[in-house]
Every structure is written in structure tokens, then in C-alpha cells.
Amino acid sequence: MKLNEIRDNEGAHKKRMRVGRGPGSGKGKTAGRGVKGQNSRSGGGKVGFEGGQMPLYMRMPKRGFNTPNTLKLAEVNLWRLQEAVDAGKLDAKAEINGEALVAAGVIRRVKDGVRVLGEGELKAKLNLVVWSASAGAIKAVEAAGGSVTQQRIEAEAKAAARLEKRNAARGKAPEPKAPKGDANKVSARAKRTAAKA
């Protein structure tokens, strides 16, 4: 056998239909587009256009919104951590972070961070370093003698410090905090006083 003798299997490739090549071609004259109208011309047929009536995607009710720059977190429950410890995949004495959870096969990837949820029972004493954790999860980990370090709190504190430093460099006074109780707005007088200070 030679290279020039190699052929594909019969029917493996189907020739494309060549439209508008005369009446003998099978798709001549109007080339399968019918007679006249918008769709018979090139560039015709807008996706979602319904002849001028309100299209379906505009008739549907709109609810909620998508927050831009949302963090995608890998969620893990307490029972999953306990399973990994019992199987010997997680070292309870070492610090447990996202990389350790991936190495143990508890989660597939870290994404933007790890969030611990409180479903299930935890008996092992674990020292977790994660992006965030639910209140129930923190309570359960601390009840077992462990600790939870939330990177989210550190990140928020750093961001607040950066903002305060930038405002101080620009000579801006910090925004007055809303008073506790029923009044949830700062009065115009309080804002003016803070601006003068």
C-alpha cells in the first residue's frame, strides 16, 4: 500500500450541498430559501425577533441579579473532613488548608477559596485555615478542640486598612457610622460636622 492509495471509509465524509448552482443541482433557483421575504435575503433573520411583537426573552419576568466579581468557593462539610481523617488521608495534627484538602481528595480544586459548612459530626481535633466557615461549623470545630482561621476576615481587615490609609493621604475624614437603634441613617448635620473635623 502506498500513501496515494489510502482512502477513508465509504460514507465517512459527506460532500456539502452547493446551493444556487442551477436547476439540475437539486438546490437551484431559490436555494432552499423559499420565495421572497426577509429570510430569503442575505443577512436576514434576527435571532429572537418575533415580527415586532414583544419577544419571549423580554416577556419573561426578571428576578434577582448576578453579582459581579463573585468568589467561587469550594464547599466541604464536616462529615467529609471526618471521613478523610478516619481513612488516614488527612493528618489531624498538621494545619489543614485548601492544598491539603486537594491532596487528600476531599475537594477537586481550591477555586477562589474553601468554605467549611456544618453538616455532619466532627470528632477529630483539626486546625483549619480556610477562606470562610459557617457559624455552625466553627462551633463544631471548636467543640472538638480545634480552631478555624478565616482568611476572609484577614482580607477584609487589610482592605479596610488600605482604604483608611488612602483616605488619610487624600485628607478625607472617615465616613460617620450609622447610630444603632431605629435610626439607620446619618443626619446631614452629622455629615457636615465630620467633614469639618
Side-chain angles (χ1 to χ4, degrees):
M1 179 177 282
K2 298 176 183 178
L3 284 173
N4 65 321
E5 294 175 350
I6 296 174
R7 295 286 182 274
D8 213 332
N9 294 331
E10 191 67 32
H13 290 282
K14 185 179 178 182
K15 289 185 178 179
R16 70 180 181 85
M17 177 66 73
R18 298 180 73 231
V19 298
R21 296 297 183 274
S25 68
K27 286 285 183 181
K29 197 186 174 209
T30 54
R33 286 171 171 262
V35 183
K36 296 185 180 178
Q38 186 184 32
N39 292 334
S40 69
R41 273 90 176 179
S42 64
K46 187 177 179 182
V47 177
F49 185 67
E50 298 183 16
Q53 78 172 13
M54 190 63 68
L56 179 66
Y57 70 90
M58 293 178 73
R59 293 199 301 270
M60 298 299 288
K62 275 72 176 173
R63 292 192 179 92
F65 62 94
N66 295 322
T67 309
N69 306 322
T70 305
L71 293 178
K72 293 182 179 178
L73 302 175
E75 296 178 347
V76 58
N77 277 293
L78 296 177
W79 65 266
R80 188 72 184 87
L81 295 174
Q82 186 61 48
E83 268 188 1
V85 171
D86 293 341
K89 294 178 180 178
L90 272 178
D91 184 8
K93 295 178 182 178
E95 185 182 273
I96 297 172
N97 53 20
E99 286 71 25
L101 293 173
V102 171
V106 176
I107 56 176
R108 188 173 291 177
R109 60 184 70 86
V110 178
K111 298 181 182 176
D112 292 326
V114 178
R115 178 166 172 79
V116 180
L117 303 177
E119 189 175 323
E121 188 180 355
L122 183 69
K123 299 174 183 176
K125 180 182 177 182
L126 302 177
N127 295 319
L128 302 172
V129 179
V130 292
W131 176 256
S132 65
S134 67
I138 294 170
K139 190 176 179 181
V141 172
E142 289 176 349
S147 64
V148 180
T149 303
Q150 297 188 70
Q151 296 167 330
R152 174 182 61 85
I153 296 172
E154 295 175 9
E156 287 175 355
K158 286 180 182 178
R162 281 198 305 269
L163 182 63
E164 191 176 337
K165 186 178 178 182
R166 188 183 69 187
N167 287 341
R170 292 178 178 176
K172 288 183 178 179
E175 283 289 324
K177 292 182 179 179
K180 293 180 180 179
D182 295 332
N184 58 357
K185 291 184 179 179
V186 179
S187 66
R189 181 179 290 179
K191 285 183 180 179
R192 285 196 300 271
T193 307
K196 289 176 183 178

